Amino acid sequence: MIVAIDGPAGAGKSTVARRLAERLAFRYLDTGAMYRAVTWLAMQRSLPLGDGAPLGELAAANPVTFDERGRVWIAGTDVTASIRRSQIDRNVPVVAAHPAVRQVMRERQRELGEHGNVVIEGRDIGTVVAPGAEVKVYLNADAATRARRREAERPDIGGDALATDLRVRDASDAARMRPADDAELIDTTQLEVDDVVDRIAELVEQRLAASRP
């Protein structure tokens, strides 16, 4: 089974997806970390981030992998911590916007999801990456809540800078920020993480029950 979780930055996707995967004993696939890894490698190699073609070639030549502990690897390097730095925050929207990069990454994401029993979170998961996912969820929250959550996650970045970052990310992701027609919409503004996980786990159980003979 594939559980696809979409939504904007700060909606709670990563935390919810990770905890849901733990509860269900599913694999967890953070597609945002994959784009961050490619951004990190491009910056390490001083590639121009505005040129999509060489970035797509870079992504194709250096597939992102996840080990059994959930660490992120690219080009033989563990980049789990490095990709969470503020300079990656600022540049990943630029890299992720290139069609050449997205094509490569979507193919890789499908490969990683092929073995099933996986929770995949990111953007355009239910609509493009895994349109056949058995369970699709779109998380959202009001702007103030999303900014507050991001600030809690990234205390090294000021609140004003994070609010600006969210606006930039939302503008960049606008074309991809739409739920699949068959997605369950969940507003997480007033919900705790476990509340959201409970609701999605219930959807998974309903789908499993419906598929049993």
Side-chain angles (χ1 to χ4, degrees):
M1 170 178 281
I2 294 177
V3 179
I5 300 180
D6 284 289
K13 298 188 306 297
S14 297
T15 303
V16 166
R18 189 179 295 108
R19 197 168 298 182
L20 177 69
E22 291 173 356
R23 179 180 298 190
L24 300 175
F26 280 21
R27 290 177 298 119
Y28 165 56
L29 178 56
D30 178 356
T31 63
M34 299 174 70
Y35 286 101
R36 286 174 172 272
V38 172
T39 301
W40 175 88
L41 186 59
M43 294 174 68
Q44 288 291 307
R45 299 188 178 180
S46 300
L47 293 181
L49 303 187
D51 190 349
L55 294 176
E57 293 171 1
L58 181 76
N62 298 276
V64 180
T65 60
F66 297 84
D67 66 18
E68 67 283 353
R69 294 172 58 186
R71 294 176 300 191
V72 187
W73 294 77
I74 191 169
T77 304
D78 177 358
V79 296
T80 308
S82 301
I83 61 175
R84 300 301 172 182
R85 295 174 181 163
S86 58
Q87 62 184 134
I88 303 298
D89 288 344
R90 290 192 297 268
N91 289 302
V92 67
V94 178
V95 174
H98 294 299
V101 175
R102 297 199 71 81
Q103 180 178 349
V104 172
M105 300 304 277
R106 286 166 175 165
E107 291 174 358
R108 178 60 177 156
Q109 290 156 14
R110 292 185 187 109
E111 289 174 5
L112 293 172
E114 279 179 354
H115 302 295
N117 286 350
V118 60
V119 179
I120 308 179
E121 62 95 350
R123 292 163 179 76
D124 63 26
I125 305 304
T127 54
V128 179
V129 174
E134 291 86 346
V135 174
K136 301 176 187 177
V137 177
Y138 188 92
L139 304 183
N140 208 345
D142 65 41
T145 298
R146 290 169 53 215
R148 186 170 62 252
R149 289 171 179 167
R150 292 287 286 175
E151 189 170 3
E153 293 170 357
R154 301 302 308 272
D156 55 316
I157 304 176
D160 290 343
L162 278 172
T164 299
D165 173 67
L166 277 178
R167 287 195 294 271
V168 171
R169 293 288 295 275
D170 286 352
S172 174
D173 294 336
R176 301 187 296 275
M177 282 295 94
R178 60 182 181 86
D181 292 339
D182 54 347
E184 179 82 7
L185 308 183
I186 302 177
D187 186 330
T188 68
T189 303
Q190 301 294 332
L191 298 176
E192 298 294 333
V193 173
D194 285 339
D195 296 328
V196 182
V197 172
D198 287 345
R199 289 180 61 173
I200 302 176
E202 184 177 351
L203 293 173
V204 171
E205 179 54 39
Q206 290 172 356
R207 188 58 188 261
L208 288 173
S211 65
R212 294 184 187 118

